[in-house]
Amino acid sequence: MATREALWDYRDEFGDAFGRTYFRRFGPGVVSSVGIGTYLGDPTAAVDDAYREAIGLALRSGVNHVDTAVNYRCGRAERVVGEAVRNSPIDRDAVVVATKGGFLPFDGERPDDPAAFVREQFVEPGIVAPDDLANGAHAIAPDYLEWSLDRSLDRLGLDAVDCYYVHNPETQLATRSREAVYDRLEAAFEALERRRAADDIGAYGVATWDAFRVPEGDERYLSLAAVLSRAEAAGEAVGPDDNHGFEAIQLPFNVAMADAFTRRNHRAPEGDADRDTGAEPVSALEFAHEAGLSVVTSASIGQGELAVEDAIPDDVDATLAGETPAQRALNFARSAPGVTSSLVGASDLDHLRENVAAGTFDPLGASAFDAVFE
């Protein structure tokens, strides 16, 4: 698991090569504000090799944040991440490794009949109950998440992960009420609190696509205040004190998907003086900042769509530092107030070098970022 001392030592080794605020607070340590994601790519040996090499280069170049999930690339992504981290000359405890559980994973390749695979591999053995499933392949029941975490640790070949996300919990809203989803999240958090006490995870959070950026009335909306309050309740139920391990959220954010900054859709719990953000709702980024949560952005360059000329509006592009569209798009995501780290998937070494180099350019300051939206 990453340690405070090793993370700061990594920052001291690489910090001078990058711009100001490149390394940012993450728990008791620091993490690179450019992270490497592992979502995209076919489930093939050739892509495995490319990711393995790219992650290794990233770790040696100033990127110490690697993100994956149990289901990415049919389960192959975690194996590659683990191999790259274990074989790197960079100490394991200087790297923040994050993974996720929620979607039922395939085993190395996509089966011909996914529904039959789920039934035979998950339902019939009792790993997941039919009533726990949403959209046929998603579950956040505590027993399933514990199984998923064990599978992740096995595939990674690591003793622990630094941040474990409940993956897209809004998927459960397709089959149950919002309050029922909050109840299930609280039960999931209690299980993760126990795994945190066992040193299997350093912290946990939720990774979302829609939940925190859509309007309050949207059918896929989840309240950050409600989710955080369930984590606090889980910490009280499991731990010896009021401490809890809910420390991070992940959501999409880029110049074309800026809802987490522009949409005011989260309210502090009524009567919560410690998180009183006023009578008016605030954005997801502002709420997270006030609550002391780390924010990790996904789709930071729009899964490549913002890495081409003229993809960024001219008036915004003119404010951003970077030699290439991908670097400017990445620096837009890194510039948002409250963002800790911005993920970019890269299995191509030239793209990886381009992304790492984005960190040598200073991001916009908070006031300059605000001015973009005036």
Side-chain angles (χ1 to χ4, degrees), residues 37 83 258 327 357 364 371:
E83 290 166 4
Q327 291 175 340
L364 291 170

Side-chain angles (χ1 to χ4, degrees), residues 6-27:
L7 291 172
W8 281 100
D9 286 347
Y10 186 93
R11 181 258 187 200
D12 291 343
E13 181 176 354
F14 291 97
D16 290 344
F18 294 94
R20 60 182 175 84
T21 73
Y22 174 74
F23 285 95
R24 299 175 183 175
R25 289 276 187 170
F26 186 87

Side-chain angles (χ1 to χ4, degrees), residues 253-254 298-307 325-326 329-330 343-345 355:
F253 185 82
N254 59 54
S298 58
S300 304
I301 63 171
Q303 297 181 348
E305 293 183 4
L306 299 173
L330 182 52
L343 301 173
V344 189
N355 298 337

Side-chain angles (χ1 to χ4, degrees), residues 208-219:
T208 68
W209 187 256
D210 293 315
F212 296 148
R213 64 185 184 89
V214 296
E216 288 182 80
D218 192 280
E219 62 184 8

Side-chain angles (χ1 to χ4, degrees), residues 63 118 137 144 165 182 243 260 273 337:
V63 173
V118 168
Y144 169 69
Y165 295 105
Y182 293 143
N243 187 35

Side-chain angles (χ1 to χ4, degrees), residues 72-303:
Y72 284 178
R73 298 183 51 250
C74 297
R76 302 174 78 110
E78 285 186 322
R79 293 191 178 102
V80 170
V81 167
E83 290 166 4
V85 170
R86 296 194 312 271
N87 295 328
S88 173
I90 302 300
D91 290 342
R92 158 66 184 103
D93 54 1
V95 182
V96 171
V97 177
T99 193
K100 313 176 189 74
F103 291 101
L104 277 59
F106 299 138
D107 191 13
E109 60 184 3
R110 184 174 178 82
D112 293 333
D113 187 340
F117 180 89
V118 168
R119 183 178 64 254
E120 295 167 3
Q121 299 297 319
F122 292 95
V123 176
E124 291 176 357
I127 295 171
V128 66
D131 290 346
D132 291 330
L133 289 172
N135 292 348
H138 185 273
I140 59 172
D143 288 348
Y144 169 69
L145 286 181
E146 294 218 49
W147 176 93
S148 186
L149 173 56
D150 288 336
R151 175 60 62 91
S152 291
L153 292 172
D154 181 62
R155 284 176 167 170
L156 288 163
L158 301 176
D159 292 333
V161 294
D162 302 292
C163 188
Y164 189 79
Y165 295 105
V166 180
H167 199 179
N168 286 18
E170 65 266 38
T171 306
Q172 291 288 312
L173 292 168
T175 59
R176 61 195 88 252
S177 71
R178 185 169 288 107
E179 194 64 25
V181 173
Y182 293 143
D183 289 343
R184 288 188 169 235
L185 278 172
E186 185 173 337
F189 294 159
E190 288 185 8
L192 295 178
E193 288 289 351
R194 290 189 289 270
R195 299 303 292 266
R196 184 170 73 100
D199 291 330
D200 295 323
I201 61 175
Y204 63 90
V206 291
T208 68
W209 187 256
D210 293 315
F212 296 148
R213 64 185 184 89
V214 296
E216 288 182 80
D218 192 280
E219 62 184 8
R220 293 179 66 80
Y221 172 83
L222 291 174
S223 160
L224 254 172
V227 171
L228 181 55
S229 70
R230 296 308 184 103
E232 291 168 341
E236 292 175 0
V238 176
D241 50 38
D242 293 337
N243 187 35
H244 64 84
F246 188 95
E247 294 186 8
I249 62 170
Q250 188 176 130
L251 46 73
F253 185 82
N254 59 54
V255 70
M257 298 172 66
D259 315 76
F261 176 80
T262 60
R263 177 167 285 131
R264 297 179 175 274
N265 57 344
H266 293 279
R267 302 172 186 269
E270 186 176 351
D272 186 345
D274 292 335
R275 279 199 306 278
D276 184 7
T277 52
E280 296 298 318
V282 298
S283 71
L285 292 184
E286 185 174 347
F287 185 100
H289 174 71
E290 293 294 331
L293 300 174
S294 294
V295 177
V296 175
T297 69
S298 58
S300 304
I301 63 171
Q303 297 181 348

